Amino acid sequence: MSSPLVLPSDGHYWLKNAHIPPNLVKTKVNFPKNFQFPRPWEDLGLYHLEIADGKIKNIVAVGQGEESDLVTDDGVPRVDLSKRMILPCFVDMHTHLDKGHIWGRSPNVDGTFSGAIASTERDAELHHSPEDIYRRMEFALQCSYAHGTAAVRTHIEMGGQKSQIAWQTFQQLRQAWADRLTLQGVAMVTTDYYLSPAGEKLADQMAHGGGILGGVAYAGPQVEAQLNRLMTLAQARNLDIDLHVDENGDRRSRVLHQVAAIALKVGFTGQIVCGHCCSLDMQSPQQVQQTLALVKQANIAIISLPLCNLYLQGRHQPQKPAWRGITKVHAIHAEGIPLVFASDNCRDPFFPFGDHDGLEILNQSVRIGQLDPPYGRWCATVNQTPAQLMGLADYGRLAVNGPADLVIFPARYFSELFSRPQGDRLVIRKGKATHKKTPHYQELDDLMGA
């Protein structure tokens, strides 16, 4: 058992002999000709990091299989990690904080998608208050922060009469947590909403309040008009778009294809991301190829939510478990389309589990998606890639003069990393250990009626 790490209190120190995926380190490394990493399936390099004034001051690539001495006479304290792994802090790009942590009072016992919608709507009618939303959202943020997340994007229901309560609460939390987490909010409505005058007002509100236009696009005769209007509103206000599409097992549902085709037709210049895309896995190879070619051409990114979709999808089939919902992640990755994995719902009628932990998302995605070695390439899906898509240039990778926001795990290799929960990880923010723990579930008992 490795001894607990203790960092110098003044915040200036070296982290020696850290295992890090090279694709997450922004530094030029001149390895010897024909150099090969030991255990190439691991895709891990050995590095020394100097931390000072809340930033990464220096990165030294060792590049060898064996631990190395750090030869300097600077007198700076050294902390030898002995090949413990480091990842940049997580970036969780698709969550539903306004719905989260209501399972204790509003369960969805049959696990169906329709049951989840009905239970969530009933809960909102009974409990939709500023205090309730604030406390549940903050509980989720405390979990994210304790696990090592630096940025979160959440979808917020905006179509009903009480929608402004959730948006205003989110704005309060964004300000209160600004020194710890970067928060982004997405307006979530069905896309027919954008055909109404209320849709234009919502676009104005997102532009004024630093939000993102989004929603759920269902297949149907009006979806192209809805998407066209959405992109027109977003383009005029310089807003990005974040959509739920094809969250079903119906091979006829090809909304992702339509989003890409319309984006190209109207010349949309903002960033579009599409979450779920489950039905893509049910379509023919030719259809998949056609859709992904358009997606790549339109510069659209795809977010896979394997935990929630694994739980919800396929329940209508006679024999369970059957098809389980994850999209064509390998084909997406092979096309060079930006791919992200994220939390989605946590402890609500859509998914009764989850803890806003980026490592759990990566860990389970590796299993569910059969993401084979080298594993280092998949790590970017929970930090670097979502950071880029969210416009967070300093997040998601380790760089000289970049923030010292990182997570140190006791594991040395990926097999070790993915075999245990890594509850004894050390989260470093601005060069200092946070030592934050996840909140106790009892804190929400009074909201659950307990």
Side-chain angles (χ1 to χ4, degrees):
M1 182 176 178
S2 59
S3 58
L5 294 175
V6 178
L7 303 182
S9 59
D10 67 354
H12 189 188
Y13 53 90
W14 280 93
L15 295 173
K16 291 175 48 180
N17 297 308
H19 262 161
I20 310 172
N23 60 306
L24 299 181
V25 180
K26 186 183 178 183
T27 185
K28 186 177 182 180
V29 181
N30 295 315
F31 292 122
K33 188 176 182 180
N34 300 324
F35 174 84
Q36 290 186 344
F37 283 104
R39 301 194 187 192
W41 60 91
E42 293 282 0
D43 195 18
L44 290 168
L46 203 60
Y47 297 87
H48 305 318
L49 307 179
E50 184 182 6
I51 310 298
D53 300 321
K55 295 185 177 183
I56 300 174
K57 186 177 180 180
N58 198 3
I59 300 177
V60 177
V62 181
Q64 299 175 356
E66 299 302 321
E67 297 174 39
S68 169
D69 289 331
L70 177 60
V71 182
T72 67
D73 57 358
D74 55 15
V76 177
R78 279 99 159 108
V79 179
D80 195 342
L81 297 188
S82 301
K83 296 185 179 179
R84 289 179 178 90
M85 286 182 62
I86 287 180
L87 292 179
C89 281
F90 302 113
V91 177
D92 198 351
M93 195 176 176
H94 185 122
T95 65
H96 292 269
L97 301 185
D98 59 338
K99 298 184 179 74
H101 303 283
I102 62 173
W103 178 268
R105 70 191 185 203
S106 297
N108 172 25
V109 292
D110 68 0
T112 62
F113 195 86
S114 58
I117 293 175
S119 185
T120 302
E121 290 177 347
R122 284 195 302 269
D123 189 271
E125 286 296 320
L126 293 171
H127 303 288
H128 206 79
S129 70
E131 180 192 2
D132 183 89
I133 297 171
Y134 191 100
R135 287 179 57 192
R136 290 186 294 99
M137 278 189 172
E138 186 161 60
F139 187 93
L141 298 181
Q142 289 171 343
C143 296
S144 296
Y145 186 71
H147 289 308
T149 295
V152 176
R153 176 182 285 186
T154 181
H155 297 258
I156 299 174
E157 296 279 356
M158 292 295 293
Q161 292 182 346
K162 298 181 180 180
S163 63
Q164 295 305 316
I165 296 175
W167 180 252
Q168 291 166 6
T169 302
F170 166 75
Q171 294 285 40
Q172 293 169 6
L173 279 165
R174 180 156 66 174
Q175 183 175 357
W177 279 76
D179 62 334
R180 290 162 288 174
L181 286 171
T182 295
L183 303 181
Q184 293 184 355
V186 182
M188 185 173 176
V189 294
T190 53
T191 49
D192 60 326
Y193 192 83
Y194 292 109
L195 294 177
S196 69
E200 185 168 356
K201 291 180 180 178
L202 180 58
D204 290 336
Q205 182 180 2
M206 292 300 104
H208 179 73
I212 296 154
L213 283 189
V216 185
Y218 292 111
Q222 293 296 315
V223 69
E224 290 192 3
Q226 295 165 12
L227 293 171
N228 202 316
R229 178 59 174 165
L230 167 61
M231 292 185 197
T232 300
L233 292 171
Q235 185 94 308
R237 292 159 181 80
N238 196 31
L239 293 174
D240 290 339
I241 293 174
D242 193 328
L243 291 168
H244 293 59
V245 304
D246 299 327
E247 193 177 359
N248 56 64
D250 185 352
R251 67 187 62 198
R252 297 167 298 180
S253 181
R254 302 189 68 198
V255 178
L256 177 63
H257 188 280
Q258 292 171 294
V259 171
I262 294 169
L264 291 170
K265 181 180 178 180
V266 303
F268 188 76
T269 55
Q271 177 65 63
I272 299 176
V273 296
C274 290
H276 298 289
C277 309
C278 303
S279 67
L280 191 69
D281 192 50
M282 305 296 288
Q283 294 162 11
S284 70
Q286 292 78 14
Q287 289 176 316
V288 171
Q289 185 178 14
Q290 292 169 0
T291 295
L292 294 185
L294 282 181
V295 166
K296 184 174 183 178
Q297 188 180 353
N299 193 33
I300 293 172
I302 293 179
I303 305 179
S304 180
L305 297 311
L307 272 70
C308 188
N309 287 143
L310 185 75
Y311 179 80
L312 279 177
Q313 299 298 319
R315 289 179 178 267
H316 63 284
Q317 300 186 37
Q319 294 182 347
K320 298 184 296 186
W323 170 80
R324 303 307 298 278
I326 192 169
T327 190
K328 292 284 190 185
V329 292
H330 287 277
I332 292 164
H333 184 264
E335 284 290 334
I337 296 167
L339 174 66
V340 171
F341 294 105
S343 291
D344 205 9
N345 300 74
C346 282
R347 299 183 63 241
D348 68 17
F350 290 88
F351 186 59
F353 316 116
D355 201 33
H356 309 276
D357 181 2
L359 179 63
E360 182 192 19
I361 299 306
L362 177 63
N363 188 349
Q364 296 303 322
S365 296
V366 167
R367 291 165 162 77
I368 297 166
Q370 298 179 334
L371 308 182
D372 297 322
Y375 295 115
R377 60 180 170 166
W378 301 111
C379 291
T381 60
V382 294
N383 41 50
Q384 183 179 14
T385 303
Q388 291 173 341
L389 294 169
M390 291 170 63
L392 305 175
D394 290 335
Y395 290 64
R397 60 179 177 176
L398 306 177
V400 174
N401 296 321
D405 294 341
L406 50 95
V407 187
I408 304 174
F409 300 95
R412 301 165 301 166
Y413 302 98
F414 281 106
S415 178
E416 297 174 3
L417 184 73
F418 294 151
S419 295
R420 291 179 179 170
Q422 308 297 322
D424 48 353
R425 72 191 73 174
L426 185 64
V427 177
I428 309 297
R429 299 299 306 274
K430 299 178 182 178
K432 301 289 185 69
T434 64
H435 297 299
K436 294 295 183 182
K437 302 297 182 182
T438 52
H440 296 290
Y441 294 124
Q442 290 91 326
E443 294 180 18
L444 298 179
D445 276 356
D446 62 309
L447 299 182
M448 302 301 112

